[in-house]
């Protein structure tokens, strides 16, 4: 992550274009993405994460290859429509719902079905689902999902699955609260926890840094 002085002269558009080319090299026949270029086994969490990036890039005015984003959204739609059998699958479905809602490509019935399993969802998944519901005007349901929102204190960093980490989950929850319930009493506390977890504006992983910058950017605004 470049510091402001180091970032001068950097062509953000070129960096985004190169990132999209790399994602193209990871796309599988299902439309989802493998963990590495040339891979054939789709990694669902990584696919949702890449879809999130592409939707935000498009919103910011960057053009992505149509087949890349269309394939990812198609794959996430299939993932969301299936019956989740474990916590990881529910995490992925909630993230898929979030991305598809942001892309205006979600089926309302799938959102309703996932909402019916709210008690089974992790804090991360509840946040993603709440944001998806709020995007469709279901703000009361979203607020109810976030009523007791929190991330347990203590360090956690998973190396597989949904790649949970304490910092990532705090950042995600803060971002969702700012979008849906900006006056939530946890907002200030979560922002302080996120800031305290950084070292000179950096966090331990790329994923943590990405979510932290999104959340703190919203908080600063």
């Amino acid at each position: 992550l470049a510091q402001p002085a180091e970032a001068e002269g950097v062509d953000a558009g070129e960096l985004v274009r190169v990132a999209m080319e790399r994602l193209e090299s990871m796309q599988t026949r299902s439309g989802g993405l493998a963990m590495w270029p040339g891979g054939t086994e789709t990694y669902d969490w990584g696919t949702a994460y890449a879809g999130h990036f592409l939707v935000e890039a498009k919103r910011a005015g960057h053009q992505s290859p149509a087949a890349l984003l269309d394939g990812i959204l198609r794959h996430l739609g299939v993932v969301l429509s299936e019956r989740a059998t474990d916590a990881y699958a529910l995490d992925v479905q909630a993230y898929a719902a979030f991305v598809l809602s942001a892309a205006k490509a979600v089926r309302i019935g799938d959102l309703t079905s996932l909402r019916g399993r709210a008690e089974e969802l992790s804090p991360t998944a509840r946040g993603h689902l709440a944001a998806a519901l709020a995007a469709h005007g279901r703000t009361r349901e979203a607020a109810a999902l976030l009523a007791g929102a929190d991330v347990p204190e203590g360090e956690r960093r998973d190396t597989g699955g949904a790649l949970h980490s304490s910092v990532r989950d705090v950042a995600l929850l803060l971002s969702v609260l700012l979008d849906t319930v900006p006056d939530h009493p946890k907002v200030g506390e979560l922002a302080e926890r996120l800031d305290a977890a950084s070292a000179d504006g950096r966090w331990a992983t790329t994923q943590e840094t990405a979510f932290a910058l999104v959340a703190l950017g919203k908080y600063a605004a």
Side-chain angles (χ1 to χ4, degrees), residues 86-113:
D86 56 32
Y88 168 66
L90 286 168
D91 276 337
V92 171
Q93 285 193 330
Y95 201 1
F98 171 85
V99 174
L100 289 165
S101 291
K104 303 187 186 312
V106 74
R107 291 184 291 266
I108 300 301
D110 289 336
L111 279 184
T112 300
S113 178

Side-chain angles (χ1 to χ4, degrees), residues 79-219:
V79 168
L80 182 55
S81 69
E82 296 173 339
R83 176 71 181 177
T85 58
D86 56 32
Y88 168 66
L90 286 168
D91 276 337
V92 171
Q93 285 193 330
Y95 201 1
F98 171 85
V99 174
L100 289 165
S101 291
K104 303 187 186 312
V106 74
R107 291 184 291 266
I108 300 301
D110 289 336
L111 279 184
T112 300
S113 178
L114 190 57
R115 174 66 181 88
R117 303 183 67 179
E119 295 304 316
E120 302 174 56
L121 301 180
S122 67
T124 301
R126 290 172 74 89
H128 276 141
L129 178 57
L133 290 168
H136 287 273
R138 296 167 67 170
T139 53
R140 189 169 298 178
E141 290 176 84
L145 277 173
L146 295 169
D150 200 5
V151 176
E153 295 281 357
E155 184 62 35
R156 175 189 178 184
R157 185 172 289 113
D158 295 347
T159 57
L163 298 174
H164 284 285
S165 81
S166 301
V167 170
R168 192 283 306 273
D169 291 351
V170 166
L172 189 154
L173 181 56
L174 174 60
S175 181
V176 168
L177 289 176
L178 288 168
D179 285 342
T180 56
V181 195
D183 58 349
H184 194 285
K186 279 286 181 180
V187 164
E189 176 189 327
L190 292 171
E192 290 177 2
R193 285 175 61 183
L194 194 53
D195 181 57
S198 72
D200 297 325
R202 292 176 170 86
W203 290 263
T205 69
T206 303
Q207 184 188 216
E208 288 180 356
T209 298
F211 277 100
L213 289 177
V214 168
L216 291 177
K218 291 178 184 179
Y219 183 70

